[in-house]
Amino acid sequence: MNDQEVVLYDAESIYIGNIFTIDSDMNLPSKGQLGSTISWKSNYDHIIDNKGKVTRPRCGTGNRDVTLVATVSFGEALMSREFEITVLEQKSKDVIKEVLPLRNEILLGSEYRLPKISIVKMEEGFYSTISVTWEDEPDFSKLPIGKYRVFGEKIKDYDGLIPEAIVEVVDKKEKSLLYKKPLEEFELSDVILNNHSIFYENKNRVEEYLLGVDDDKILYNFRKQANLDTKGALPMSGWDAPECLLRGHTSGHYLSAISLAYEGSIENKEVFKGKIDYLIQELALCQEAMENDGKYSYGFLSAYSEDQFDKLEQYEVYPKIWAPYYTLHKIMAGLLDCYEFGKNELALIICSKIGIFVYNRLSKLNKDKLNKMWSMYIAGEFGGMNEVLARLYKFNKKEEYLKASKFFDNERLFIPMSKNIDTLSNIHANQHVPQIIGALEIYDKTFEKIYFDIADNFWEFVTKSHIYNIGGAGEGEMFKEPNKISKFLTEKTAESCVSYNMLKLTKMLFKYSKNAKYMDYYEKTLYNHIVASHDKSGPTGGSTYFMPLIPGGMREFDLKENSCCHGTGMESHVKYQESIFFKDDDIVYINLYIPSTLNLHDKNMKVTICDDFLKFKSSNILIEGNGFIEFRFRIPSWLIEKPIIKLNEKAIEYNLENGYGIVKGEFKSFDKIKIELPFSIKIDRTKDNQDIGSIFYGPLVMAIASDKDDFIEISKEDIYDFKVISDDDNILKIGEYEFIPFYTAFDVPYHSYFKIL
């Protein structure tokens, strides 16, 4: 490599951590991977100096954006790279107004320990949790039937506030009715996307990107850690660079993506299968080499050393460690996807051994230690470890996996959710959504209703009080106070990972509830956030990290950083088929009107959604083959009137249940059902400021292409007097402005919130 190539490579490979939520000193490298020299310059050195020392702004002054410029030099070559850093303001000292009694009911003779938290109400009106030390906690297993009160140590600086727990010992508990059996999913291979939709185009671009990825590069960090030959591959960059403590997470997402692509692909099936089998065989060699090395515990496999787990148990903080269990979750999830969707038996063997590693490690730790670990910001983030372990139990019935999944019960999150109290304010959004998915996965295996309630209550809180117009949640990666939306319209809204995980949770809840409200949210987020998060300029694999909702915001796509959202983005766009249809014996649910063909192999029939309803405002469903089917068509909540459903051009009567129109009977080949879905305009005002709002056209958030940095004013009268410029592309004229669907504004500055007069 010449000097310029060295400088270019080292500049692109610079890794300085998660730059969006900085709250501690940064490690700024002075040397590049190929030997270049790196110097740093800050535009606000009183916040971040040139050596990476961070001084957080005072509470109340807001987060601060700082530009760090890295100058990379080697020989005669020189170049610079800029990093936009967000430094979090110092935490406020929230004023506690009330401590809620912690109530629970336990069976006579059962083991029980009080959780080390209480739920508190803050002066500002939102809820949170605090740590508690209980005084004279009894041995509940030896207490007779009755009600017992236990008090905690008084809260520092609050003499009048004392935590209280009320525990009732009973001889029997009423058995909760279990939810009905869940709906069945169709395999991705059963549903083929038709070639006239944005979904088909996005899927093809991402598959093309995945086909071009160098698998030896994906394996680089694993082979390096196992002291195996790296086969001449270049190391990965960004969050997967060799010096990054999160390395390996992108590899896990990539395994999931190519497995999903394999199951849902037609043209490239054999190529994806070849990638899966090669990667799994090589990872098995890495795991075997680590096992034979003697430095690692049985079953361990990762792209980083085991000492990260040791340091977590010693409460080492970020950035000295970076979420070792989070990365392990991505690796295990990728392996299970290679087994379930990629049809590779060895992947299950590898993952099962990792599961034993996790059980062996965590079974030695007490509950207090686990709770302290999981409450640590970033360092203790564990992704969906509870989910992947419970899912592993589905394929390998060792009780250790199910027990290990419960080691990740996070009482600071699970207890308030089980009590139906929203304590999400100011907690890291994507750290906690996967934990809730895990709770629901545990319910799926054990039918312990408390886990279902935790998941369902959480979903209700997020979708009713914490989402933006596009369905995404979180600002600067954090949940804010309930219903505070207009106050947090910034460049760092709606992290893509959060929506990816919320859709996973939503799909799982829908399978049990069979209620259209879940798929209404799914549609909103899929059309307005997930589809919009994809780089449509070519097969780059790029995804947005945040989706800016500030006036004049513009999307940026992660092409080389290998961030978490790049990882989830690889998966999101190759599995669009997963929630279009569901089945329940002879019932077929049609949730999303995405052009596609469903193969009903057991009936020797096909069901095709022929038209793009975004263009035609209706959907024609063609039936091939003869047989009985009960169709349940989702009636979207954005429809103003009950839609007309026609069978072979004749309007028919139908019943409504849980948001679905029911049409059933003996169908013959080439029968056609048409459901009309006329779009209308809706104004959606923010709850914290009625002057600020969004404009929906059917399911679509509408936007104006503009770089103006203040809210554009639109009158309510003009909105309802809109004119359609293009029905095919859903372009509207409102007042003097042209409105386009939000998802189409991928390369222009835009407005999607307005001042509505």
Side-chain angles (χ1 to χ4, degrees), residues 114 132-138 149-154 162-163:
L114 290 171
V132 171
T133 299
W134 299 104
E135 296 183 334
D136 301 322
E137 181 178 352
R149 301 175 73 185
V150 182
F151 295 96
E153 293 181 0
K154 70 178 182 179
I162 298 175

Side-chain angles (χ1 to χ4, degrees), residues 226-424:
N227 290 317
L228 296 177
D229 183 7
T230 58
K231 306 288 181 72
L234 288 172
M236 298 181 72
S237 59
W239 292 20
D240 257 281
E243 64 271 23
C244 176
L245 297 177
L246 210 67
R247 59 187 182 270
H249 79 112
T250 297
S251 303
H253 284 297
Y254 177 72
L255 290 173
S256 293
I258 61 174
S259 299
L260 294 165
Y262 163 74
E263 194 193 31
S265 176
I266 301 175
E267 297 88 355
N268 302 303
K269 214 169 185 67
E270 289 187 13
V271 182
F272 282 121
K273 179 61 172 168
K275 280 177 165 282
I276 292 165
D277 292 346
Y278 175 71
L279 285 159
I280 295 303
Q281 183 60 47
E282 294 302 308
L283 287 171
L285 293 176
C286 291
Q287 189 179 47
E288 182 182 3
M290 289 180 176
E291 188 175 323
N292 293 336
D293 188 280
K295 294 190 301 185
Y296 302 97
S297 300
Y298 171 81
F300 182 75
L301 172 67
S302 191
Y304 49 88
S305 70
E306 197 176 340
D307 69 346
Q308 276 214 66
F309 297 89
D310 297 331
K311 291 177 179 178
L312 177 61
E313 291 172 15
Q314 296 159 12
Y315 310 129
E316 190 66 83
V317 297
Y318 173 83
K320 293 181 180 179
I321 63 170
W322 188 355
Y325 282 104
Y326 171 94
T327 303
L328 196 64
H329 164 242
K330 308 309 168 210
I331 295 166
M332 293 181 72
L335 290 166
L336 281 189
D337 287 341
C338 284
Y339 169 72
E340 183 174 8
F341 307 121
K343 314 305 179 190
N344 185 292
E345 298 286 337
L346 182 56
L348 179 61
I349 295 171
I350 299 170
C351 191
S352 297
K353 292 169 76 173
I354 301 174
I356 293 299
F357 159 77
V358 175
Y359 175 80
N360 287 343
R361 182 157 206 125
L362 296 183
S363 61
K364 299 172 185 175
L365 308 180
N366 63 40
K367 183 62 176 173
D368 290 344
K369 192 175 187 73
L370 291 172
N371 278 324
K372 185 169 182 178
M373 286 163 53
W374 308 148
S375 67
M376 293 173 64
Y377 179 62
I378 295 184
E381 183 175 357
F382 59 76
M385 280 299 300
N386 50 353
E387 177 263 337
V388 78
L389 285 160
R391 185 178 163 211
L392 176 58
Y393 177 74
K394 170 184 174 183
F395 303 118
N396 187 335
K397 295 297 185 183
K398 286 189 176 181
E399 288 296 323
E400 288 92 337
Y401 302 137
L402 204 52
K403 289 177 182 177
S405 71
K406 293 186 178 183
F407 291 151
F408 293 91
D409 281 4
N410 181 358
E411 65 184 22
R412 278 191 177 273
L413 178 66
F414 283 14
I415 288 174
M417 293 302 108
S418 70
K419 306 296 183 186
N420 201 22
I421 299 173
D422 183 349
T423 55
L424 302 181

Side-chain angles (χ1 to χ4, degrees), residues 10-45:
D10 278 358
E12 290 181 345
S13 300
I14 293 174
Y15 155 74
I16 54 175
N18 183 348
I19 60 177
F20 304 119
T21 56
I22 295 296
D23 66 350
S24 57
D25 292 345
M26 303 182 68
N27 295 320
L28 302 180
S30 59
K31 288 288 183 183
Q33 290 186 25
L34 300 181
S36 63
T37 299
I38 306 174
S39 60
W40 295 87
K41 181 69 175 175
S42 169
N43 68 331
Y44 291 115
D45 59 8

Side-chain angles (χ1 to χ4, degrees), residues 131-162:
S131 298
V132 171
T133 299
W134 299 104
E135 296 183 334
D136 301 322
E137 181 178 352
D139 182 349
F140 288 101
S141 66
K142 297 179 179 178
L143 295 179
I145 293 169
K147 190 175 288 188
Y148 301 90
R149 301 175 73 185
V150 182
F151 295 96
E153 293 181 0
K154 70 178 182 179
I155 303 171
K156 186 179 179 182
D157 300 328
Y158 294 91
D159 289 342
L161 295 180
I162 298 175

Side-chain angles (χ1 to χ4, degrees), residues 18 21 326 377-378 381-384 410 413 423-437 458 462 466-468 471-480 492-502 505 545-546 564:
N18 183 348
T21 56
Y326 171 94
Y377 179 62
I378 295 184
E381 183 175 357
F382 59 76
N410 181 358
L413 178 66
T423 55
L424 302 181
S425 301
N426 303 313
I427 70 171
H428 190 274
N430 198 52
Q431 181 172 348
H432 293 91
V433 185
Q435 298 178 20
I436 297 296
I437 296 171
F458 177 91
V462 173
H466 293 278
I467 61 170
Y468 293 101
E475 192 276 335
E477 300 190 359
M478 313 296 281
F479 284 123
K480 301 300 182 182
K492 294 181 172 63
T493 42
E495 182 185 358
S496 293
C497 282
V498 178
S499 288
Y500 159 88
N501 279 309
M502 281 298 296
L505 175 62
Y545 194 107
F546 295 115
C564 52

